[in-house]
Amino acid sequence: MADEEPIGITRRRLGAGAMVLGGGLFFASLPAGPVSAAPPDSAEPAAAGGGRPTLRRGSARRAGLLAGHLDRLVTEAEAFLGPSPEHPWYAGAVLLAGRGGTVALHRPLGMAVRYRAYDEKTDTGVEFPADRQIPMTEDTVFDLASVSKLFTSVLAVQQIERGALELEAAVASYLPDFGRAGKTAVTLRHLLTHTSGFRAWLPLHKAPTYEERVRLVLDEAPVSAPGTAYLYSDLNLISLQLVLEKVTGRSLDVLLRDGITGPLGMDRTRYNPPASWKPVIAATEDARPPWSGLDRGLVWGEVHDENAHSLGGVAGHAGVFSCAWDLAVLGRTLLNGGGYGRARILEPESVELMFTDFNTGFPGDGHGLGFELHQHWYMGAMATPRTAGHTGFTGTSLVLDPTTDSFLVVLGNSVHPVRSWRSGSAPRVAAANRLARAVPVRPAPGRDARGGRTSWFSGMAGSTVATLTLPALDTSSGGARLRCALWWDTEPHADLLTLEATTDGGAAWQPVPFVTERRDEAPEQHAAGTATGWSGRVWHGLTAGLPAARSLTLRWRYATDRLYVGRGVYVDALRVRAYGRVLFDEARPADAARVEAAGWTRSAD
């Protein structure tokens, strides 16, 4: 079942590509995103006898995170247990956040099982007696819904590594019946990137038998030619399941156990959990028509998705149950390049491929192999061109940011007692924003006499205009130039940073073109006097020629829309010179005292 429809977000494109050579993967060079934030305090532990970092619990400081923002992450998440805006967004949740090999936050909230039914006449939940309600714990198991697609995708890439599948091969070459109804040109890549042309969903559960449900998928005609449009569809991953089972001769649940959960020790992750697990599983929905396609009553311990249920609980698009720690292990494995301790489930080149945007032709719909990329609508300020993740309809999500080596798991039972109680992805965005803010951005080193102790920070509020204004300067002699350090990461195009000037006391402001430059890269011209989107999360040197005027006032203006925000903007070491004369230098206390900040604050992060 598809999760909430994302609001269109424009992305910066990645210039990487991939080819398949002889069944193997060849990855065109993709530069890793630089880690501009402060690293964890200590090196990450490797498994005994060597291997990649494994997870352990630790402090925010050890993870290189700011503890206060992790505390606020929890406080903000707790608010969604109340009206959001009318009903609770979830009955409960488990939050997990960390960086490197350190899990700095693992917190349960609310109830795993609270309601026994939903009363549609009064739009209220009918609660279990207090002694039968079950609180969330760190180990509560959730129906992951569409987050299951990530497991299917990993299994497919494993088979590509082994030469059993080719990324650009036609699906029909492995599954001949798939070629019916105009699908002969659909490739495995189209399935993994949701560009096959499949419609979003089919009510497979209405067919009377498993065989007929599969036949509906094989007989389905595409609504667009493969590769010409992005359309998120469960049918893509169901089709991929059929391919995997055909080429391996094993069912998807066995592939999951042998290829992922077994090697990684994820013993609380599986399809079709046994009845003995029920007391530790979060309940989902009181599933009845008309809001559900099946009349099942309270779904608890069985897959919520109707189609996955009709396929026996084992499906490529939904059906995996897991807990927050196990999902973090998967996330750490991928951030490690496919290894965890002494186990390896993928080669590093394969992980890079999964985090590569194949959908550059469809701005706003960045997608690697199975993973969604750069999606502010649930990744919030963690979103970068390399940030990978997925959501699930039941209220689940996983976000991985290779740029800062951080990871976030939000597991909520947001369809308990009914799916209509929640809307949007506000808790996911709030948690991601707070974790992004917890990764410190150190002031620009060596920029001024202050030694880089603090820098100006725009904040991360939505629907805001923040201004940072220098005092009026006499630039009439000409040759005046502004120099400073600039760091920005904003929602592309929607949130804009502008350098502007006025010569009439503020009646009219005009943009000031500027140039930014970072190490080992060509200077970037900002002819419109603006900056937006992704800048690599590193400091840039900035230079701007200033107009000649008796009284020139400069300001930075940062304007955000109401929906989503990036990590924000930092400015440091502001200095204006003209022919060797210093007109302004914020390192001088007298000059710094004259800076007017509306919405900007000094930050030492």
Side-chain angles (χ1 to χ4, degrees), residues 345-390:
I345 64 169
L346 288 174
E347 293 301 318
E349 296 81 5
S350 298
V351 177
E352 290 284 354
L353 201 65
M354 297 189 79
F355 288 9
T356 298
D357 188 4
F358 286 86
N359 287 2
T360 56
F362 312 115
D365 295 315
H367 220 287
L369 301 184
F371 277 91
E372 297 171 333
L373 303 173
H374 207 187
Q375 298 294 310
H376 283 84
W377 69 274
Y378 70 90
M379 297 175 179
M382 290 182 71
T384 79
R386 289 178 54 78
T387 303
H390 216 288

Side-chain angles (χ1 to χ4, degrees), residues 185-325:
V186 174
T187 67
L188 295 179
R189 175 172 59 82
H190 293 139
L191 297 182
L192 284 160
T193 59
H194 295 280
T195 56
S196 66
F198 268 131
R199 73 170 99 172
W201 182 77
L202 277 175
L204 304 180
H205 58 270
K206 292 186 176 180
T209 67
Y210 180 91
E211 292 72 21
E212 290 178 82
R213 292 161 194 149
V214 170
R215 189 174 301 116
L216 285 174
V217 177
L218 300 177
D219 289 344
E220 177 69 9
V223 297
S224 59
T228 64
Y230 172 86
L231 180 60
Y232 180 89
S233 174
D234 289 348
L235 304 182
N236 288 312
L237 276 295
I238 294 172
S239 299
L240 191 59
Q241 171 192 1
L242 299 176
V243 172
L244 287 168
E245 293 181 338
K246 178 71 177 294
V247 299
T248 65
R250 292 180 288 167
S251 61
L252 192 64
D253 54 341
V254 173
L255 291 171
L256 176 72
R257 182 195 66 205
D258 294 347
I260 301 177
T261 62
L264 297 180
M266 298 168 59
D267 57 7
R268 297 177 73 82
T269 303
R270 59 169 294 164
Y271 287 102
N272 288 330
S276 60
W277 283 27
K278 186 173 180 179
V280 299
I281 296 176
T284 54
E285 188 175 35
D286 179 9
R288 291 179 282 119
W291 57 87
S292 173
L294 295 173
D295 191 352
R296 300 170 62 193
L298 179 64
V299 179
W300 178 14
E302 296 182 338
V303 63
H304 171 259
D305 181 272
E306 294 94 338
N307 284 344
H309 175 72
S310 74
L311 295 172
V314 179
H317 71 294
V320 176
F321 285 72
S322 189
C323 66
W325 188 271

Side-chain angles (χ1 to χ4, degrees), residues 35 51 70 219 234 353 400 411 424 450 479:
V35 179
L70 293 186
D219 289 344
D234 289 348
L353 201 65
L400 309 175
L411 301 180
R450 291 180 297 106

Side-chain angles (χ1 to χ4, degrees), residues 331-521:
R332 183 68 261 158
T333 300
L334 296 171
L335 289 170
N336 285 346
Y340 187 81
R342 302 182 69 177
R344 177 164 293 280
I345 64 169
L346 288 174
E347 293 301 318
E349 296 81 5
S350 298
V351 177
E352 290 284 354
L353 201 65
M354 297 189 79
F355 288 9
T356 298
D357 188 4
F358 286 86
N359 287 2
T360 56
F362 312 115
D365 295 315
H367 220 287
L369 301 184
F371 277 91
E372 297 171 333
L373 303 173
H374 207 187
Q375 298 294 310
H376 283 84
W377 69 274
Y378 70 90
M379 297 175 179
M382 290 182 71
T384 79
R386 289 178 54 78
T387 303
H390 216 288
T391 62
F393 186 81
T394 50
T396 58
S397 61
L398 171 67
V399 179
L400 309 175
D401 179 12
T403 305
T404 59
D405 202 27
S406 57
F407 48 92
L408 173 66
V409 179
V410 177
L411 301 180
N413 53 352
S414 64
V415 297
H416 183 56
V418 68
R419 66 189 71 187
S420 60
W421 273 19
R422 67 92 190 267
S423 62
S425 262
R428 296 168 176 143
V429 171
N433 284 349
R434 193 53 64 184
L435 180 57
R437 183 65 180 88
V439 178
V441 176
R442 301 304 187 199
R447 294 286 184 178
D448 57 33
R450 291 180 297 106
R453 291 189 297 272
T454 61
S455 57
W456 289 106
F457 176 46
S458 66
M460 292 170 53
S463 300
T464 298
V465 176
T467 56
L468 183 67
T469 308
L470 275 61
L473 304 173
D474 183 355
T475 61
S476 59
S477 61
R481 301 181 73 80
L482 166 71
R483 294 184 184 275
C484 68
L486 183 66
W487 188 110
W488 75 95
D489 174 32
T490 78
E491 184 191 356
H493 305 295
D495 297 340
L496 202 64
L497 174 70
T498 305
L499 177 62
E500 52 192 14
T502 181
T503 58
D504 58 10
W509 293 87
Q510 299 297 325
V512 177
F514 58 88
V515 177
T516 57
E517 190 170 2
R518 54 185 287 188
R519 182 178 299 176
D520 300 326
E521 290 194 8

Side-chain angles (χ1 to χ4, degrees), residues 125-142:
V126 181
E127 294 189 358
F128 279 108
D131 61 353
R132 294 182 59 193
Q133 296 183 28
I134 301 175
M136 289 288 184
T137 70
E138 290 181 349
D139 297 326
T140 296
V141 172
F142 289 77

